[in-house]
């Protein structure tokens, strides 16, 4: 057992991850680089962190850490998430809690199974949780660029989702829920979007929402779903595809 690293609190005032923290994380991830397909580094000469973006709840960031040795250079991604205890906005809190489900997903190494099924996604290198609710998730960096809504990329994105759904269809979905993955965690699941439901006009769709949701939940053949498969959450690479 290793102590959790309070990554968010160790960031510099510029928003870029502190180099000492980046080095600590790189050392802990190093033994997993080769098995996760990152590279064959056996030692670390230097690290260079680079901020990619902030989390949309404003409580964390996503950074890239470049690791150099004498003979090679590789990169991995770090997502740091602040504690939910520091949020007082109801809507932001609902969305923020999805990060804890994401951590469970990576802790179960489900991303490795998805990659093995032919659907490329980041693989977990390290997951840390603090008692206060802060998270650090280190993962492999995906190749590629942003998603374009052209026919070919759209077809490949739908194929990616089909592979995910097929992999966890039926009993497999029940097993991962037992392992700790949230039973209902999709972004637009009715149980998570009660605030938006209350804001809807009093029309037919609002009154039918609970009945539609009940019918969906009664289906015996559930599967794992991507929580929010929009274009901003999809990457495309000319060689690897979606």
């Amino acid at each position: 057992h290793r102590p959790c690293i309070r990554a968010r609190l160790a960031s510099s005032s510029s928003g870029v991850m502190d180099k000492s923290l980046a080095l600590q994380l790189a050392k802990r991830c190093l033994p997993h680089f080769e098995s996760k397909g990152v590279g064959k580094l056996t030692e670390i000469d230097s690290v260079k962190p680079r901020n990619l973006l902030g989390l949309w709840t404003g409580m964390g960031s996503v950074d890239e850490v470049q690791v150099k040795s004498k003979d090679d250079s590789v990169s991995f991604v770090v997502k740091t998430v602040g504690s939910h205890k520091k949020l007082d906005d109801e809507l932001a809190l609902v969305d923020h809690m999805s990060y804890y489900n994401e951590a469970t997903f990576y802790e179960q190494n489900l991303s490795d199974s998805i990659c093995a099924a032919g659907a490329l996604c980041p693989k977990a290198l390290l997951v840390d949780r603090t008692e206060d609710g802060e998270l650090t998730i280190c993962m492999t960096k995906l190749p590629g660029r942003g998603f374009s809504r052209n026919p070919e990329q759209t077809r490949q994105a739908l194929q990616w989702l089909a592979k995910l759904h097929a992999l966890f269809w039926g009993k497999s979905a029940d097993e991962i829920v037992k392992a700790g993955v949230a039973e209902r965690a999709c972004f637009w699941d009715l149980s998570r979007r009660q605030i938006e439901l209350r804001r809807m006009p009093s029309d037919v769709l609002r009154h039918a929402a609970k009945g539609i949701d009940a019918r969906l939940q009664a289906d015996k053949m559930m599967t794992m779903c991507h929580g929010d498969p929009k274009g901003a959450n999809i990457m495309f690479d000319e060689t690897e595809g979606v």
Side-chain angles (χ1 to χ4, degrees):
H1 175 74
R2 296 172 183 258
C4 293
I5 296 176
R6 303 176 73 85
R8 182 173 175 271
L9 300 181
S11 296
S12 67
S13 58
S14 65
V16 179
M17 177 181 290
D18 186 86
K19 286 189 70 173
S20 63
L21 171 62
L23 180 59
Q24 289 181 53
L25 292 173
K27 287 180 177 179
R28 295 184 61 187
C29 293
L30 180 64
H32 309 293
F33 280 171
E34 185 172 358
S35 64
K36 298 292 184 174
V38 177
K40 296 183 178 181
L41 270 70
T42 57
E43 59 182 16
I44 298 173
D45 282 354
S46 65
V47 296
K48 183 180 180 181
R50 178 173 71 96
N51 181 255
L52 299 177
L53 53 91
L55 300 188
W56 73 314
T57 59
M59 293 290 293
S61 65
V62 178
D63 298 88
E64 177 185 354
V65 177
Q66 184 182 43
V67 184
K68 291 185 177 181
S69 67
K70 294 180 180 179
D71 303 315
D72 202 359
S73 175
V74 300
S75 295
F76 66 97
V77 173
V78 182
K79 177 181 282 190
T80 55
V81 183
S83 173
H84 65 279
K85 298 177 182 178
K86 299 177 182 178
L87 281 172
D88 54 10
D89 180 89
E90 184 182 5
L91 185 57
L93 182 60
V94 171
D95 296 332
H96 193 78
M97 295 305 289
S98 67
Y99 296 126
Y100 298 99
N101 189 55
E102 180 183 1
T104 301
F105 169 86
Y106 283 116
E107 285 171 333
Q108 301 299 323
N109 284 317
L110 295 175
S111 54
D112 292 63
S113 300
I114 295 172
C115 288
L120 187 64
C121 66
K123 296 180 180 180
L125 297 168
L126 171 72
V127 179
D128 260 350
R129 299 174 186 255
T130 70
E131 293 182 358
D132 196 44
E134 294 180 342
L135 291 173
T136 302
I137 306 174
C138 299
M139 63 189 79
T140 59
K141 180 185 176 183
L142 291 176
R145 51 183 171 77
F147 176 74
S148 300
R149 294 182 181 179
N150 61 51
E152 176 57 24
Q153 291 189 26
T154 299
R155 181 185 66 82
Q156 291 193 36
L158 292 173
Q159 287 181 333
W160 191 102
L161 291 170
K163 292 174 182 177
L164 173 69
H165 298 162
L167 180 63
F168 295 104
W169 201 270
K171 292 183 178 180
S172 296
D174 297 332
E175 292 173 0
I176 60 174
V177 169
K178 290 179 181 178
V181 175
E183 187 172 9
R184 302 180 65 174
C186 287
F187 187 85
W188 288 110
D189 187 278
L190 189 63
S191 65
R192 292 170 48 83
R193 308 265 59 108
Q194 289 296 307
I195 297 173
E196 289 87 347
L197 181 65
R198 293 196 297 267
R199 293 175 179 174
M200 287 178 63
S202 184
D203 57 13
V204 174
L205 181 57
R206 176 173 176 174
H207 292 297
K210 290 185 178 179
I212 295 172
D213 179 66
R215 173 61 188 88
L216 291 172
Q217 298 306 316
D219 198 307
K220 295 181 180 180
M221 293 298 289
M222 296 289 188
T223 188
M224 177 186 283
C225 293
H226 188 293
D228 191 16
K230 59 187 178 184
N233 291 335
I234 303 172
M235 294 185 66
F236 180 79
D237 181 73
E238 295 292 344
T239 302
E240 300 290 347
V242 167

